[in-house]
Amino acid sequence: MASGKTMIDKRIGFVGSGQMAEALARGLIAKNVITGNMIVCSDPNPGRTELFASFGATPYQSNIDVAKNCEVLFLAVKPQYVSVVLQEVRHTLTDNHTIVSIAAGITIDKLTEAAGPNARVVRVMPNTPCLVAETAAAMCLGGKAGPSDEALVRTLFEAVGKIYTVDEKLLAAVTGLSGSGPAYVFMAIEALADGGVRAGLPRDIAQALAAQTVLGSARMVLDTGKHPGALKDMVTSPGGTTIAGVHELEKAGVRAAFMNAVVAATNRANEMSKM
């Protein structure tokens, strides 16, 4: 077994072995949080469980067997199947289980209704950069989950990025910002690259420059702790090229468009949680 300061001694189960589950599993192994043989999984697609087996996980055909053989149970299925899975495994759940749902729109109330009022449930909203170990996630606790469950889930998700604890009422806003946010950023990168092409750059170079610019700018915000506005001002010389471009963005309402996108996605997340 690999060693490391953050190694945990709990077995991890994935009901649903799709890309998000794979990214998390690989991240946990890469960061020495767990080893592959501490993972169990199930999925309707045999190809997915075979892939998990390739890095040491034990696949099961039955979700019940997954629940029996783990202490941390990840629900990585489509939202409409979460309650079905929990009702299926409910009688196998014990006080030692921490249930982690990464299904969008499934509330703590729905999770505890299906798993039982004494279940320790944690609802997590990750995002797709989990696939490259750069997720921006948030969690909220429910049922009998406590500080130890919070610390455990934090350790797990910090293997693939960052995670923050919020009240459940704010999870829709998390969905609107970081959950849906990668799409907004991809659109920005695409638009920047198109601008580069319009200005004469080859497509491949324009896209690489746009993506690297977003990556580097994000790193500056995170590493310096400075307000984005202050960092923007560092680039905008009086009468220069950047302020000319910023002026066009302001005329087009780009700032308001991003804010409206987050609010619209948040409202939609709230609507979906009530379905």
Side-chain angles (χ1 to χ4, degrees):
M1 182 178 296
S3 60
K5 290 190 296 184
T6 58
M7 176 69 70
I8 64 172
D9 59 358
K10 294 181 181 290
R11 294 168 296 175
I12 310 297
F14 290 96
V15 175
S17 304
Q19 288 190 323
M20 195 73 79
E22 178 191 348
L24 184 56
R26 289 188 183 277
L28 293 173
I29 295 169
K31 296 292 179 67
N32 288 329
V33 177
I34 58 172
T35 53
N37 61 7
M38 298 169 70
I39 298 173
V40 297
C41 65
S42 62
D43 195 276
N45 181 352
R48 296 304 303 174
T49 52
E50 288 171 8
L51 186 150
F52 268 63
S54 71
F55 49 76
T58 300
Y60 290 103
Q61 292 186 346
S62 165
N63 297 332
I64 293 174
D65 287 334
V66 172
K68 284 181 178 177
N69 288 280
C70 72
E71 290 80 44
V72 182
L73 181 65
F74 274 90
L75 303 175
V77 296
K78 293 185 183 300
Q80 61 265 36
Y81 300 124
V82 169
S83 293
V84 175
V85 169
L86 282 175
Q87 289 167 3
E88 178 186 3
V89 305
R90 179 170 176 165
H91 69 281
T92 67
L93 298 176
T94 69
D95 292 341
N96 293 324
H97 279 93
T98 300
I99 301 166
V100 183
S101 170
I102 61 173
I106 303 302
T107 64
I108 291 292
D109 283 346
K110 291 178 182 177
L111 293 171
T112 53
E113 180 182 352
N118 294 321
R120 293 154 51 189
V121 299
V122 182
R123 181 183 170 194
V124 177
M125 183 66 224
N127 65 5
T128 54
C130 181
L131 303 177
V132 291
E134 291 290 353
T135 197
M139 65 172 153
C140 61
L141 310 181
K144 297 296 184 180
S148 63
D149 301 288
E150 179 182 4
L152 171 62
V153 173
R154 187 175 306 283
T155 297
L156 296 175
F157 275 90
E158 285 182 346
V160 290
K162 303 291 185 183
I163 187 166
Y164 304 90
T165 303
V166 301
D167 291 336
E168 187 176 27
K169 65 184 180 182
L170 296 176
L171 215 54
V174 172
T175 302
L177 176 56
S178 57
S180 301
Y184 317 152
V185 176
F186 294 144
M187 290 179 70
I189 292 172
E190 181 184 28
L192 287 169
D194 284 346
V197 171
R198 177 65 180 84
L201 287 170
R203 168 65 64 181
D204 58 340
I205 294 177
Q207 181 168 306
L209 287 172
Q212 183 64 31
T213 297
V214 170
L215 177 64
S217 300
R219 178 53 59 196
M220 286 184 71
V221 172
L222 294 173
D223 287 356
T224 67
K226 292 183 178 180
H227 190 282
L231 293 172
K232 177 206 69 181
D233 289 348
M234 290 169 56
V235 192
T236 51
S237 303
T241 59
T242 304
I243 193 61
V246 168
H247 188 196
E248 292 300 321
L249 293 174
E250 294 288 13
K251 286 196 295 183
V254 168
R255 189 190 304 264
F258 275 117
M259 293 172 66
N260 290 340
V262 173
V263 172
T266 299
N267 290 340
R268 181 56 180 155
N270 278 320
E271 291 171 1
M272 291 176 65
S273 69
K274 296 172 182 176
M275 289 180 177

